[in-house]
Amino acid sequence: MISQNDISHARILIVDDQPVNVELLEYLLNATGYKAVSSTTDPRVVAGWHAEHRYDLIILDLQMPGMSGFEVMEALKPLEPDGWLPILVVTAQPDHKMRAFESGARDFISKPFDPIETLMRIRNMLEMRLLHARERSYNARLEQTVRDRTAELQRFRSAMDATADAIFLLDTESAEVVDVNEGACRMLAYPRAEMLGQSASRLGLGTPDALRKQAERMADYAAAVGPARAPELAELELMRRDLIAVPVELYWQLLQRPGQPSVMLGVARDISERRQAEELLQRMAHYDSLTGLPNRTLFFKTLGDVIALAQDKAWRIAVLVVGLDRFKSINDSLGTGRGDDLLRQFSNRLVQCVRIRDTAGRLGGDEFALILTMNRDQQDAVNAANEVRDALRQPFELDGQQAVLSASIGIAMYPDDATDPETLVKYADTAMSRAKQAGRDGYRFFTAGMNVQVLARLDMELALRRAFDNDELRLHYQPKVNLHTGAIAGVESLLRWQRPGFGLIYPAEFVPVLEDTGLVVRVGNWIIDAACKQIAAWLGDGTGPVRVAVNVASRQFVEGDLEQEVRDALARHQVPPELLELELTETALMSNADRTITVLKNLKAIGVKAAIDDFGTGYSSLAYLQRFPIDKLKIDIAFVREITTNPNDAAIALAIISMAHSLKLQVIAEGVESRAQLEYLRRSRCDEIQGYFFSRPLPPEELGQLVRSARSLPPAPGEASQAAQTLLIVDEDVNVLSSLHRLFRRDGYQILTAATPTEAFELLALHPVQVIVCDQRLPVMSGTEFLSKVKEIYPETIRIILSGYTGLEAVLDSINRGAIYRFYTKPWDDTQLRDNIRLAFHHYWLMHGSGKLAGEPGEDATALQPAVQEVK
């Protein structure tokens, strides 16, 4: 770590033939606190002075009479054998900068001098130089230490090579290998020379921290009790040169001699054969020898582990017990050999029926079992049972003879039926017996309630088929709002089902049934007709023209005649085609691309618009996207929900907006529920939004009233009414917020305050902010984590940590990555902090202003520090 004292006392030499430049730089450096500044106007003395004084930084002018800056650098190169010249060149000619770098210079400043830039570059150069010097000194000491220790360890080598075990000697501080014997080289297939200097972690001996702690523990034990009676034993896997793991028993001892560095001695013995024998015994104890599936013991253990995980994840689990019907008669008639072959073939088919995360096992005899993890209802268990039954449909080939089987399946659910493995399997086995009693080749749930749910799904399917005839389907409409004008730009039609006895049912409950049964095409055609009918009704009742978007499923392109359905509906209700818009998912576009393109082109020719719904969640190709006659892209709610707090979501949304506009497409964001989301999207040039912030989906009558009321979005915050400088202060301490607010308000800033990152993200979305001052300790996330996210979403902001927390590692890492501009500590000096914040605003406008002078209208309203002003 380079301290401020190190930087202040760094040796600096200024070389310039113009005395006025030398005086200016000397004044700037002395005023800033540098203590060892020298200067000369004669470039010929530089090499000799550097050989004597070893300057940490030489500020060198390139254009000088008698000896140019390039010649000075050539004279300095022999004095820096590692090629690291501490040269900061000064030039007014841009074409000389590249040549200066090639000659060995590390950085440059331009004439005339910018004081802030000059001081920043000088400080950065000094930090690099001092770190470089410290690294060289450390490497030299380390090399000497290694040489000394290696000389001593040579005396042990002959004894080490005499044993067949692998012996490793490690430096306890660095955890690097200082010596090995021939046994270690044979075990890990390394030449001795390549083993030396290797880190212990690379060979699998342990992490440096763990080895250092082990050495400290052994040293403490030896100091308190005396040398240990036996070495410490551990089992681990070493890594060979060919990346094959070698299991070993490893004995550790600590070698200590007075006045000498301690060494860890490790003796490793290969236990591969023992491990293989243990694994074989383990497999024999846990896997069925006939089918290779987990046996009853392992199945119950796995089920217990899955239940423990399900408790944390709020999963549901289905246990299926599968009993083969009439297996005993087949086994008796064909013989046990063919019966075993049939069980093996069935187990192979059973494994193919389950997903990777599910488990199949053999409970014994002709009974098998499955563990299924599920996110929704028991329909997944029904599907799995049907797949198992289908797998048995094909005959089994048994030495030229064929056998046909069926299966009875029982299903028990966690946590509905039971919460322990034994009871779940017992209940599933009971349900399997009931399935056999009911006539075989079927499945049963353990509880009557679950059977009722399965029947309820069948009942819903029948009810949906009747819904068309009984006029039970409804359309609600959610407004889309133009972000440029604030007015309603159209609506999206959303399907609802007014089911008798159940009330209004939302699509999530019944659309999966529509898709599974193929009713989705019929419903889709009904939606198009109902939407056109409603457009005509609004035109007739004085509401006026309202553009309506309808969702189109991929099966409507494949199985139906979508183009004709649209044309017929438009003609039937005499609706202008430009008032109808089709919304398609990326999956629907790609399922039959050529046909989809043809249909959309034909409809676009008559005026019907098309949009891609849930954009970014599918798998469409950008090359295909250009081929589709699309007018709009719709950003999925998944990217809008956390758009003001999640840099990834913000980046995706901005990328979609930019790409869409480059393709001359409009962009709609759905799911906008807050003012912060609205303003962020408005500032990001999104065209339209829809969501609960403006309106929930409404029945046709209420939507008509809303359109006639001419309600619109609130206007964007007027930038002209805001101060040119906006400062955001984030600190969970209310007293700190109040103190900083009083301190900075005298400088004319617009000051925003937030106690949490959530509040801060909302304010950033609502207001243009130039400078952020943030505490390191915040709820939910640290200040550096918060500012790292801010950097990704609002990269132009100046981000500052002001904290009493002195854990600098994370802060310095964030500074190095550019997430933080500066780090100041609490308690603060009011005058110094105000000056630093003014400099931060000044830096912002230098980077993002239009180039006007500081203080002019609409530009930087700050002032530089007095010392810097005098230099300028």
Side-chain angles (χ1 to χ4, degrees), residues 477-480 488-493 531 535 538 544-550 576-582 607-610 632 666 688 703 707:
Y477 301 88
Q478 186 172 38
K480 301 177 183 179
I488 296 175
V491 298
E492 178 184 4
S493 62
I535 294 171
W538 281 327
V546 178
R547 180 181 292 114
V548 177
V550 298
E578 60 270 15
L579 294 183
L580 182 65
E581 184 176 296
L582 304 181
V608 176
K609 304 290 185 181
K632 298 180 181 179
Q666 287 188 307
E688 298 178 9
L703 192 282
V707 173

Side-chain angles (χ1 to χ4, degrees), residues 457-467 497 513 519:
R457 179 183 171 92
L458 296 175
D459 182 60
M460 177 178 285
E461 180 180 334
L462 295 174
L464 278 171
R465 296 182 184 278
R466 293 192 299 267
W497 178 17
V513 178
L519 290 172

Side-chain angles (χ1 to χ4, degrees), residues 294-308:
N295 62 13
R296 189 180 188 88
T297 301
L298 180 57
F299 183 86
F300 273 84
K301 180 180 181 301
T302 302
L303 180 56
D305 294 340
V306 174
I307 289 174

Side-chain angles (χ1 to χ4, degrees), residues 285-355:
H286 291 92
Y287 288 88
D288 179 54
S289 59
L290 177 64
T291 63
L293 295 176
N295 62 13
R296 189 180 188 88
T297 301
L298 180 57
F299 183 86
F300 273 84
K301 180 180 181 301
T302 302
L303 180 56
D305 294 340
V306 174
I307 289 174
L309 182 61
Q311 290 173 343
D312 296 333
K313 301 290 187 181
W315 288 346
R316 302 183 74 196
I317 300 172
V319 175
L320 282 67
V321 171
V322 182
L324 300 181
D325 298 329
R326 292 183 293 274
F327 173 77
K328 185 177 184 304
S329 61
I330 294 176
N331 193 53
D332 292 342
S333 60
L334 298 180
T336 56
R338 291 192 176 114
D340 289 345
D341 188 19
L342 188 150
L343 293 176
R344 279 191 292 268
Q345 291 187 40
F346 172 71
S347 68
N348 291 335
R349 296 188 189 182
L350 184 64
V351 169
Q352 295 174 7
C353 293
V354 300
R355 299 165 297 184

Side-chain angles (χ1 to χ4, degrees), residues 167-217:
I167 299 178
F168 303 89
L169 292 176
L170 305 180
D171 182 283
T172 55
E173 289 298 323
S174 64
E176 292 182 349
V177 176
V178 295
D179 205 357
V180 294
N181 71 341
E182 288 297 329
C185 296
R186 288 192 301 271
M187 178 182 287
L188 302 185
Y190 276 100
R192 186 193 298 269
E194 289 191 26
M195 294 274 276
L196 301 182
Q198 291 266 27
S199 66
S201 56
R202 183 171 181 179
L203 299 177
L205 291 166
T207 64
D209 286 343
L211 289 171
R212 278 193 288 267
K213 290 178 181 178
Q214 184 179 10
E216 291 173 1
R217 187 179 68 252

